[in-house]
Amino acid sequence: MEVKGKKKSISSVFFRYACFYTAGVLLLIFLQFMIWFILDVAGEVLPANHMEAWLNGAAQEIETAPEITESMLPEGCSYGVYEREGNWLYGTFPSEEIEQAWEKYKSNSIYARGRSYYRFFVRDSGEVCIVKYEIATRFRNEFLNHILPSPEVLMICSFIVLFLIHTVLMSRHFGKYMRSRLAVLSEVMAKIRNQDLEFEEEHSQLREVDEVLNSLNQMKEALKASLYRQWNLEKSREEQIAALAHDIKTPLTVIRGNAELMAEGELREEERGYNQDILKSVLMIEEYLVILNEILAEEAQEKKSEVQNQKISSAALSELFIEQGRLLTSARQYPMIISAQALHGEIRCSVSQLLRAFHNILSNAMDYSPPEGEIEVSLEMKTQAKGEYLAITVVDAGQGFTAQDLKHATEQFYQGDVSRSSKNHYGIGLHTAEKFVRGQGGYLEIENAENRGAKVSIFIRIIDF
């Protein structure tokens, strides 16, 4: 992802957003002031001294009127009329305030609670009228005064709400901008982590990010060169080992041929023993070469970037296992007993790798079974915690696993004790099988069968059932 445009520093980007943020706050303040000014000019908001000015203008009427009515007073006021001696006559004061207001009059104190004050009028009739009013802004519409807080409180609350909204929007916008500029870093690091090194040099609009990208690109080139060098060295090593293994076969063939010719002649007893040792050693070297070729083939399989998986039904895969088992056991003259339950579902896997894993397990079972020992193979569906699996189980007729075998049987080159290693095994069969099965999302389970020999099970995950 290449971002075109003039490069900026993170500090300049932050300063720009700080300016926008400050300008937005100032605009909110200006809008609040303009709204207040318009409402004030239109008379929709009454000034704080509105009640006091009203009472000043109505003072003469209050003092001379035969009776005080609420129409003489501004909205929001309460009042009380007393005799000269302090006896209550009439008014709108609540009962708990009647005595309190008269005490304020006697002490000539105009202060009530909060922003409320008392105004005292001595009427021509000798009565005393006490009016309670507030020094506070009010809406002209009395309905608004009942459902809304005072205008100044409303303006402050609305400013706080708008300020918070402005802050959230600016923060999100700034975060989105930075994420879009930093996303290229995540993409490059993900490609390097996955060893996908064939990508063009990336750029961002931020100078500091480009500096990091430049370092990552240098690291990518160095890593690519190192991987290519390592790959070439390993490839050369494998080719040399494979060529050497092939070349060894020629002198081995000559040695075997000469030793077999010598065996056909007349040899002394001691010479015949030496000749047999030569033939056995040749056989061991040939087996070592087979193992070496298997290890090279396993490494080559691991180096493939992707295993070509295919979707196959569990029933069809089981048929392949049964056919391979029949061919292997008949070739070595071992009877195979097959039990298969009803199978369902589909599997996504590398069939060749699973067949090779089954081949290794079955070969081990025959190697550790007595001649013509029965090999049991069962295929069934099993439900585990992580889902449903196709289970292929092979049970041999041998002595079974020892406690040490159960811990280390799948380790490469583990050969176990003498009783289970007497047939020239080199500890790669179960290791290879376990690796192939795990590569298909399954797992291997080894144990001893009841009243039988070793029991090895392949569990393959069902993806659709």
Side-chain angles (χ1 to χ4, degrees), residues 274-335:
Y274 292 151
N275 191 64
Q276 290 298 319
D277 289 342
I278 292 172
L279 290 174
K280 289 180 181 179
S281 298
V282 169
L283 180 61
M284 289 182 64
I285 294 174
E286 289 176 342
E287 290 176 347
Y288 289 149
L289 290 176
V290 171
I291 293 171
L292 181 59
N293 287 327
E294 287 188 2
I295 292 175
L296 291 175
E298 180 181 343
E299 290 180 352
Q301 184 69 25
E302 289 179 353
K303 289 176 183 177
K304 290 183 179 180
S305 59
E306 292 184 6
V307 177
Q308 296 298 323
N309 292 340
Q310 66 182 85
K311 200 172 184 181
I312 185 172
S313 68
S314 58
L317 183 61
S318 299
E319 290 296 328
L320 295 176
F321 284 134
I322 294 172
E323 179 63 18
Q324 186 182 64
R326 186 186 64 78
L327 293 174
L328 287 174
T329 53
S330 63
R332 296 180 57 177
Q333 297 182 349
Y334 278 86

Side-chain angles (χ1 to χ4, degrees), residues 423-459:
K423 298 189 179 184
N424 295 326
H425 265 256
Y426 302 98
I428 65 171
L430 285 180
H431 168 75
T432 303
E434 197 265 346
K435 181 174 292 186
F436 284 167
V437 172
R438 191 174 63 245
Q440 309 309 309
Y443 64 94
L444 208 64
E445 190 176 87
I446 61 172
E447 55 187 323
N448 287 318
E450 187 175 353
N451 300 324
R452 291 278 293 176
K455 179 180 178 181
V456 181
S457 300
I458 298 173
F459 287 85

Side-chain angles (χ1 to χ4, degrees), residues 4-39:
K4 297 182 179 180
K6 184 179 178 181
K7 289 184 174 59
K8 312 178 187 69
S9 66
I10 293 178
S11 59
S12 65
V13 172
F14 180 79
F15 178 75
R16 186 184 67 175
Y17 273 89
C19 290
F20 282 133
Y21 178 77
T22 304
V25 173
L26 294 176
L27 179 62
L28 288 178
I29 295 174
F30 176 74
L31 290 175
Q32 294 282 91
F33 174 79
M34 290 301 299
I35 292 173
W36 184 272
F37 177 76
I38 293 171
L39 291 176

